[in-house]
Short mmCIF file of all heavy atoms in Angstrom, two decimals:
data_model
loop_
_atom_site.label_atom_id
_atom_site.label_comp_id
_atom_site.label_asym_id
_atom_site.label_seq_id
_atom_site.Cartn_x
_atom_site.Cartn_y
_atom_site.Cartn_z
N GLY A 6 -26.17 -4.00 -23.86
CA GLY A 6 -26.50 -4.62 -22.57
C GLY A 6 -27.94 -4.43 -22.17
O GLY A 6 -28.26 -4.24 -21.01
N GLY A 7 -28.88 -4.43 -23.12
CA GLY A 7 -30.28 -4.30 -22.77
C GLY A 7 -30.73 -2.86 -22.57
O GLY A 7 -31.85 -2.61 -22.14
N ARG A 8 -29.83 -1.89 -22.87
CA ARG A 8 -30.17 -0.49 -22.68
C ARG A 8 -29.97 0.25 -24.00
O ARG A 8 -29.04 -0.04 -24.75
CB ARG A 8 -29.30 0.13 -21.59
CG ARG A 8 -29.42 -0.56 -20.24
CD ARG A 8 -28.45 0.01 -19.24
NE ARG A 8 -28.68 1.42 -19.02
CZ ARG A 8 -27.89 2.21 -18.30
NH1 ARG A 8 -26.82 1.71 -17.75
NH2 ARG A 8 -28.19 3.49 -18.13
N TRP A 9 -30.84 1.26 -24.27
CA TRP A 9 -30.69 2.08 -25.47
C TRP A 9 -29.88 3.30 -25.12
O TRP A 9 -30.22 4.06 -24.21
CB TRP A 9 -32.07 2.48 -26.01
CG TRP A 9 -32.81 1.34 -26.63
CD1 TRP A 9 -33.78 0.59 -26.07
CD2 TRP A 9 -32.61 0.80 -27.92
NE1 TRP A 9 -34.20 -0.38 -26.91
CE2 TRP A 9 -33.50 -0.27 -28.09
CE3 TRP A 9 -31.76 1.13 -28.97
CZ2 TRP A 9 -33.58 -1.02 -29.24
CZ3 TRP A 9 -31.83 0.39 -30.13
CH2 TRP A 9 -32.74 -0.68 -30.27
N LEU A 10 -28.75 3.51 -25.85
CA LEU A 10 -27.85 4.62 -25.58
C LEU A 10 -27.71 5.48 -26.83
O LEU A 10 -27.81 5.00 -27.95
CB LEU A 10 -26.47 4.10 -25.14
CG LEU A 10 -26.46 3.21 -23.90
CD1 LEU A 10 -25.04 2.73 -23.64
CD2 LEU A 10 -26.99 3.96 -22.69
N ARG A 11 -27.43 6.77 -26.61
CA ARG A 11 -27.21 7.68 -27.73
C ARG A 11 -25.71 7.95 -27.83
O ARG A 11 -25.11 8.42 -26.86
CB ARG A 11 -27.95 8.99 -27.51
CG ARG A 11 -27.85 9.97 -28.70
CD ARG A 11 -28.51 11.30 -28.35
NE ARG A 11 -29.90 11.12 -27.99
CZ ARG A 11 -30.91 11.01 -28.85
NH1 ARG A 11 -30.66 11.08 -30.16
NH2 ARG A 11 -32.14 10.85 -28.43
N PRO A 12 -25.07 7.67 -28.97
CA PRO A 12 -23.62 7.89 -29.09
C PRO A 12 -23.30 9.37 -29.10
O PRO A 12 -24.09 10.20 -29.55
CB PRO A 12 -23.28 7.22 -30.43
CG PRO A 12 -24.56 7.31 -31.22
CD PRO A 12 -25.68 7.17 -30.22
N LEU A 13 -22.07 9.70 -28.61
CA LEU A 13 -21.59 11.08 -28.65
C LEU A 13 -21.12 11.40 -30.06
O LEU A 13 -20.50 10.58 -30.74
CB LEU A 13 -20.44 11.25 -27.66
CG LEU A 13 -20.81 11.08 -26.19
CD1 LEU A 13 -19.55 11.15 -25.34
CD2 LEU A 13 -21.80 12.13 -25.75
N SER A 14 -21.42 12.59 -30.50
CA SER A 14 -21.01 12.99 -31.84
C SER A 14 -19.54 13.33 -31.87
O SER A 14 -18.91 13.53 -30.85
CB SER A 14 -21.83 14.22 -32.29
OG SER A 14 -21.47 15.34 -31.48
N VAL A 15 -18.98 13.42 -33.08
CA VAL A 15 -17.58 13.76 -33.24
C VAL A 15 -17.32 15.15 -32.72
O VAL A 15 -16.29 15.43 -32.08
CB VAL A 15 -17.18 13.65 -34.73
CG1 VAL A 15 -15.74 14.10 -34.92
CG2 VAL A 15 -17.37 12.23 -35.22
N LEU A 16 -18.28 16.07 -32.92
CA LEU A 16 -18.10 17.45 -32.45
C LEU A 16 -18.07 17.49 -30.93
O LEU A 16 -17.30 18.23 -30.32
CB LEU A 16 -19.23 18.34 -32.98
CG LEU A 16 -19.23 18.58 -34.50
CD1 LEU A 16 -20.43 19.43 -34.90
CD2 LEU A 16 -17.93 19.26 -34.93
N GLN A 17 -18.91 16.71 -30.30
CA GLN A 17 -18.93 16.68 -28.85
C GLN A 17 -17.63 16.16 -28.30
O GLN A 17 -17.12 16.66 -27.30
CB GLN A 17 -20.09 15.80 -28.36
CG GLN A 17 -21.46 16.44 -28.56
CD GLN A 17 -22.57 15.49 -28.18
OE1 GLN A 17 -22.40 14.28 -28.24
NE2 GLN A 17 -23.70 16.03 -27.78
N LEU A 18 -17.07 15.13 -28.91
CA LEU A 18 -15.81 14.58 -28.43
C LEU A 18 -14.68 15.57 -28.59
O LEU A 18 -13.70 15.53 -27.86
CB LEU A 18 -15.49 13.29 -29.20
CG LEU A 18 -16.37 12.10 -28.89
CD1 LEU A 18 -16.03 10.94 -29.82
CD2 LEU A 18 -16.22 11.68 -27.44
N GLY A 19 -14.79 16.45 -29.54
CA GLY A 19 -13.71 17.38 -29.80
C GLY A 19 -13.80 18.66 -28.99
O GLY A 19 -12.87 19.44 -28.97
N THR A 20 -14.90 18.92 -28.32
CA THR A 20 -15.03 20.16 -27.56
C THR A 20 -14.29 20.07 -26.26
O THR A 20 -14.09 18.99 -25.72
CB THR A 20 -16.51 20.45 -27.27
OG1 THR A 20 -17.06 19.33 -26.58
CG2 THR A 20 -17.28 20.70 -28.56
N ARG A 21 -13.93 21.22 -25.71
CA ARG A 21 -13.19 21.25 -24.44
C ARG A 21 -14.12 21.01 -23.27
O ARG A 21 -13.81 20.28 -22.34
CB ARG A 21 -12.48 22.59 -24.29
CG ARG A 21 -11.70 22.71 -23.00
CD ARG A 21 -10.95 24.03 -22.93
NE ARG A 21 -10.21 24.15 -21.69
CZ ARG A 21 -9.03 23.62 -21.47
NH1 ARG A 21 -8.45 22.92 -22.41
NH2 ARG A 21 -8.40 23.78 -20.32
N ASP A 22 -15.31 21.65 -23.29
CA ASP A 22 -16.25 21.50 -22.19
C ASP A 22 -17.20 20.37 -22.49
O ASP A 22 -17.61 20.16 -23.64
CB ASP A 22 -17.06 22.79 -21.99
CG ASP A 22 -16.16 23.96 -21.60
OD1 ASP A 22 -15.17 23.69 -20.89
OD2 ASP A 22 -16.43 25.10 -22.04
N PRO A 23 -17.62 19.58 -21.48
CA PRO A 23 -18.55 18.48 -21.72
C PRO A 23 -19.91 19.00 -22.12
O PRO A 23 -20.32 20.08 -21.68
CB PRO A 23 -18.60 17.77 -20.35
CG PRO A 23 -18.20 18.81 -19.37
CD PRO A 23 -17.23 19.70 -20.08
N PRO A 24 -20.65 18.28 -22.97
CA PRO A 24 -21.96 18.73 -23.42
C PRO A 24 -22.96 18.69 -22.29
O PRO A 24 -22.80 17.95 -21.32
CB PRO A 24 -22.31 17.71 -24.51
CG PRO A 24 -21.55 16.48 -24.12
CD PRO A 24 -20.27 16.99 -23.52
N LEU A 25 -24.00 19.49 -22.41
CA LEU A 25 -25.07 19.51 -21.42
C LEU A 25 -26.14 18.52 -21.80
O LEU A 25 -26.51 18.39 -22.98
CB LEU A 25 -25.68 20.91 -21.33
CG LEU A 25 -24.76 22.03 -20.81
CD1 LEU A 25 -25.48 23.36 -20.85
CD2 LEU A 25 -24.29 21.72 -19.41
N VAL A 26 -26.66 17.81 -20.81
CA VAL A 26 -27.76 16.90 -21.06
C VAL A 26 -29.05 17.69 -20.98
O VAL A 26 -29.08 18.78 -20.38
CB VAL A 26 -27.74 15.75 -20.02
CG1 VAL A 26 -26.47 14.96 -20.15
CG2 VAL A 26 -27.90 16.30 -18.60
N PRO A 27 -30.14 17.20 -21.52
CA PRO A 27 -31.40 17.94 -21.47
C PRO A 27 -31.81 18.25 -20.04
O PRO A 27 -31.53 17.50 -19.11
CB PRO A 27 -32.39 16.98 -22.15
CG PRO A 27 -31.55 16.11 -23.01
CD PRO A 27 -30.26 15.96 -22.30
N ALA A 28 -32.49 19.40 -19.87
CA ALA A 28 -32.89 19.83 -18.54
C ALA A 28 -33.88 18.84 -17.95
O ALA A 28 -34.71 18.25 -18.64
CB ALA A 28 -33.53 21.23 -18.61
N SER A 29 -33.77 18.64 -16.62
CA SER A 29 -34.69 17.76 -15.93
C SER A 29 -36.00 18.47 -15.70
O SER A 29 -36.17 19.64 -16.06
CB SER A 29 -34.07 17.31 -14.60
OG SER A 29 -33.86 18.44 -13.77
N ALA A 30 -36.91 17.81 -15.02
CA ALA A 30 -38.22 18.38 -14.77
C ALA A 30 -38.12 19.64 -13.95
O ALA A 30 -38.91 20.55 -14.07
CB ALA A 30 -39.11 17.34 -14.08
N GLY A 31 -37.12 19.74 -13.09
CA GLY A 31 -36.96 20.92 -12.25
C GLY A 31 -36.24 22.04 -12.94
O GLY A 31 -36.00 23.10 -12.36
N GLY A 32 -35.82 21.83 -14.21
CA GLY A 32 -35.16 22.89 -14.94
C GLY A 32 -33.69 23.00 -14.67
O GLY A 32 -33.06 23.98 -15.01
N ILE A 33 -33.08 22.00 -14.04
CA ILE A 33 -31.67 22.04 -13.68
C ILE A 33 -30.88 21.28 -14.73
O ILE A 33 -31.24 20.18 -15.14
CB ILE A 33 -31.44 21.41 -12.29
CG1 ILE A 33 -32.24 22.17 -11.26
CG2 ILE A 33 -29.97 21.42 -11.93
CD1 ILE A 33 -32.15 21.56 -9.86
N LYS A 34 -29.76 21.87 -15.16
CA LYS A 34 -28.90 21.23 -16.15
C LYS A 34 -27.61 20.79 -15.49
O LYS A 34 -27.05 21.52 -14.68
CB LYS A 34 -28.58 22.19 -17.30
CG LYS A 34 -29.81 22.56 -18.14
CD LYS A 34 -29.42 23.46 -19.30
CE LYS A 34 -30.62 23.78 -20.18
NZ LYS A 34 -30.24 24.62 -21.33
N HIS A 35 -27.15 19.61 -15.81
CA HIS A 35 -25.90 19.07 -15.26
C HIS A 35 -24.95 18.78 -16.40
O HIS A 35 -25.35 18.39 -17.50
CB HIS A 35 -26.15 17.77 -14.48
CG HIS A 35 -27.04 17.96 -13.29
ND1 HIS A 35 -26.65 18.66 -12.18
CD2 HIS A 35 -28.31 17.52 -13.05
CE1 HIS A 35 -27.63 18.66 -11.29
NE2 HIS A 35 -28.65 17.97 -11.80
N SER A 36 -23.65 18.93 -16.15
CA SER A 36 -22.64 18.58 -17.14
C SER A 36 -22.56 17.07 -17.27
O SER A 36 -22.59 16.36 -16.26
CB SER A 36 -21.27 19.13 -16.72
OG SER A 36 -21.31 20.53 -16.70
N ALA A 37 -22.46 16.58 -18.47
CA ALA A 37 -22.32 15.14 -18.69
C ALA A 37 -20.96 14.69 -18.20
O ALA A 37 -19.98 15.43 -18.32
CB ALA A 37 -22.48 14.81 -20.17
N PRO A 38 -20.85 13.51 -17.63
CA PRO A 38 -19.55 13.02 -17.17
C PRO A 38 -18.62 12.78 -18.33
O PRO A 38 -19.06 12.65 -19.48
CB PRO A 38 -19.90 11.71 -16.46
CG PRO A 38 -21.21 11.30 -17.06
CD PRO A 38 -21.93 12.56 -17.40
N PRO A 39 -17.29 12.71 -18.06
CA PRO A 39 -16.33 12.46 -19.14
C PRO A 39 -16.60 11.15 -19.86
O PRO A 39 -17.23 10.24 -19.31
CB PRO A 39 -14.97 12.40 -18.39
CG PRO A 39 -15.22 13.11 -17.10
CD PRO A 39 -16.65 12.89 -16.77
N VAL A 40 -16.10 11.06 -21.10
CA VAL A 40 -16.36 9.88 -21.92
C VAL A 40 -15.83 8.63 -21.25
O VAL A 40 -16.48 7.59 -21.25
CB VAL A 40 -15.70 10.06 -23.31
CG1 VAL A 40 -15.88 8.82 -24.15
CG2 VAL A 40 -16.32 11.27 -24.02
N TRP A 41 -14.61 8.72 -20.62
CA TRP A 41 -14.05 7.52 -20.00
C TRP A 41 -14.88 7.08 -18.82
O TRP A 41 -14.96 5.91 -18.50
CB TRP A 41 -12.61 7.77 -19.56
CG TRP A 41 -12.43 8.91 -18.61
CD1 TRP A 41 -12.14 10.20 -18.91
CD2 TRP A 41 -12.55 8.87 -17.19
NE1 TRP A 41 -12.08 10.96 -17.78
CE2 TRP A 41 -12.31 10.17 -16.71
CE3 TRP A 41 -12.84 7.85 -16.27
CZ2 TRP A 41 -12.36 10.49 -15.35
CZ3 TRP A 41 -12.88 8.16 -14.92
CH2 TRP A 41 -12.65 9.46 -14.48
N ALA A 42 -15.56 8.04 -18.17
CA ALA A 42 -16.42 7.69 -17.03
C ALA A 42 -17.66 6.97 -17.51
O ALA A 42 -18.10 5.98 -16.92
CB ALA A 42 -16.81 8.95 -16.26
#
Side-chain angles (χ1 to χ4, degrees):
R8 302 175 60 187
W9 288 99
L10 302 177
R11 184 185 302 277
L13 295 175
S14 67
V15 176
L16 293 178
Q17 288 175 333
L18 290 174
T20 57
R21 179 177 180 82
D22 297 326
L25 295 177
V26 298
S29 62
I33 301 176
K34 294 183 178 182
H35 298 291
S36 296
V40 177
W41 58 267

